[in-house]
Amino acid sequence: MPNVPLFIKACLAEPVDRIPVWLMRQAGRYLPEYRKIREKHPFLHVCKTPGLATEVTLQPIERFGMDAAILFSDILLILEAMGVDLVFDEKVGPRLGRTGTVEEQVDSLSIPDPEQELGYVLDAIRQVKSSIQEGVALIGFSGAPFTLATYLIEGGTSRDFYATKCFMYQQPVIFQGLMEKLVSALEPFLKAQVRAGVDALQLFDTWAMILSPADYSEFVLPHMQRLVAGVKDEGVPTIHFSLGTSTLLEEMVQIGAHVLSLDWKIDIGEARSRLGPTRSVQGNLDPFTLFQEAEKLEKRVLENLDKGSPWPGYIFNLGHGVHPKTPVENVERLVEVVHNYPVRQTEQGSQG
Ligand code: CP3
């Protein structure tokens, strides 16, 4: 029986003797060793060079000893593989190119063969797996169809998502067709990541927060259900990430992912009571907590641990990515506090 990583046990709500921890964007600009690589290579070049992507993926594991690594890549790369121009502008962030109308673009999107068009992602997974420490899980990921659709329609990030919402309401059939097409591209990509070696899959739905429960149920939920059901047979846990969506928790449960990643706007104890003892959660410290002095940071981490861990199925994380200006020593302290936390979980979920 191979050793099941602690992180995977927590995803599956199995008992653990220590709370696993990793942080979104744990490989990034707050780390001097990452900045050193970025001085020499543009972001997309790092993503597309398996040796560099592997090195960067493992940097935070080597420095802090997290329980999971997330592959260094980006959710927007699949859109490039589908035929959309992608550039990362240092100042404005990602820009996606389009000629013609959204309808024409939806038509022209291709369904990539992951081994052919995203082979660099799969090669990076294989390389990470060959050098990662035993017991440390590797997380693969993709954007969720809705968040990818917003980037495609807006051409980048947006303040009010005017174009996305107008398109969704005015062209619902084409919008649903776009979501279906994205699912058809994402499913083989996620399966290929599992076959290349990832131990879990995280789906990033950063912009789901802009939808009402009714619109979420109509335009997003069925596609998420199809995607999660489609990758289920690969046998690895799935994690659903979103932000500002505590008003949608009950809808999000219906996606069928093993783990819900929560942001800091909901009390994690309340989220666990609402979701029940069998649904695993990940989160949910405010990334800016890491800018406080050590004692206050420690207090917040311990409060989160107390509230999140009355029963199995809890992964410590931030509610969103590590900010690029985060002091490195505070990340180190955070991981230490989580690792030293004594677990007092009960199987039934009574908080006693
Ligand atoms: O978490 C990790 O460490 C794994 C790698 C990862 C990145 N992006 C690397 C990255 C993951 C999982 C993502 C997901 C991603 N990318 C999301 C969903 C999660 C979220 O943050 O809400 C989104 C919306 C994107 C799109 C994206 N990529 C934007 C808007 C930007 C620019 C803003 C920014 O943070 O710089 C990126 C660039 C990006 N992706 C960087 C990294 C490390 C910064 C690149 C650099 O300057 O070195």
Side-chain angles (χ1 to χ4, degrees), residues 325-341:
K325 294 203 167 89
T326 303
V328 175
E329 61 277 15
N330 284 355
V331 173
E332 193 178 334
R333 188 73 199 116
L334 178 151
V335 175
E336 235 172 60
V337 174
V338 181
H339 278 173
N340 291 330
Y341 182 76

Side-chain angles (χ1 to χ4, degrees), residues 85-257:
D85 292 335
L86 171 67
V87 288
F88 277 90
D89 184 306
E90 296 285 322
K91 294 211 174 64
V92 295
R95 303 294 319 157
L96 293 120
R98 184 172 72 227
T99 48
T101 62
V102 180
E103 287 96 308
E104 284 162 353
Q105 176 142 48
V106 172
D107 266 350
S108 71
L109 291 174
S110 61
I111 306 294
D113 172 345
E115 286 290 349
Q116 293 294 320
E117 276 123 317
L118 293 154
Y120 58 87
V121 174
L122 308 176
D123 286 341
I125 292 170
R126 294 182 192 109
Q127 280 194 32
V128 172
K129 282 299 282 189
S130 69
S131 46
I132 201 168
Q133 231 175 296
E134 204 189 323
V136 180
L138 176 62
I139 305 168
F141 69 88
S142 79
F146 181 72
T147 289
L148 293 178
T150 68
Y151 278 101
L152 195 75
I153 297 167
E154 306 284 342
T157 311
S158 168
R159 195 170 53 81
D160 58 6
F161 295 91
Y162 169 83
T164 305
K165 285 205 166 177
C166 286
F167 187 72
M168 190 177 92
Y169 288 136
Q170 291 166 4
Q171 307 275 5
V173 177
I174 302 172
F175 184 85
Q176 296 281 13
L178 168 60
M179 292 290 283
E180 273 169 31
K181 209 161 184 178
L182 288 166
V183 172
S184 302
L186 291 168
E187 191 182 315
F189 179 42
L190 291 168
K191 285 180 170 165
Q193 292 187 45
V194 178
R195 287 168 197 170
V198 301
D199 303 294
L201 291 168
Q202 180 153 326
L203 307 173
F204 286 92
D205 213 352
T206 308
W207 298 119
M209 64 164 97
I210 67 167
L211 297 174
S212 68
D215 285 338
Y216 186 83
S217 296
E218 181 176 346
F219 291 103
V220 179
L221 184 58
H223 304 286
M224 290 306 295
Q225 286 171 326
R226 198 181 126 215
L227 185 56
V228 168
V231 299
K232 202 172 192 145
D233 285 349
E234 299 299 318
V236 304
T238 45
I239 306 162
H240 178 270
F241 165 86
S242 58
L243 281 174
T245 46
S246 32
T247 47
L248 295 174
L249 273 193
E250 281 69 21
E251 282 76 12
M252 285 179 169
V253 166
Q254 296 172 44
I255 295 169

Side-chain angles (χ1 to χ4, degrees), residues 1 52 56 84 86 167 191 210 242 275 293 302:
M1 209 22 211
L52 290 173
V56 170
V84 184
L86 171 67
F167 187 72
K191 285 180 170 165
I210 67 167
S242 58
L275 295 166
E293 56 189 74
L302 288 170

Side-chain angles (χ1 to χ4, degrees), residues 13-46:
E14 288 171 11
V16 288
D17 48 24
R18 169 167 92 53
I19 304 294
V21 53
W22 72 282
L23 305 180
M24 286 179 273
R25 288 284 175 94
Q26 62 191 15
R29 282 168 293 185
Y30 76 105
L31 280 181
E33 55 270 38
Y34 174 81
R35 289 199 301 271
K36 210 165 155 203
I37 289 196
R38 285 281 285 102
E39 272 165 26
K40 287 187 252 151
H41 309 283
F43 172 62
L44 276 180
H45 178 77
V46 180

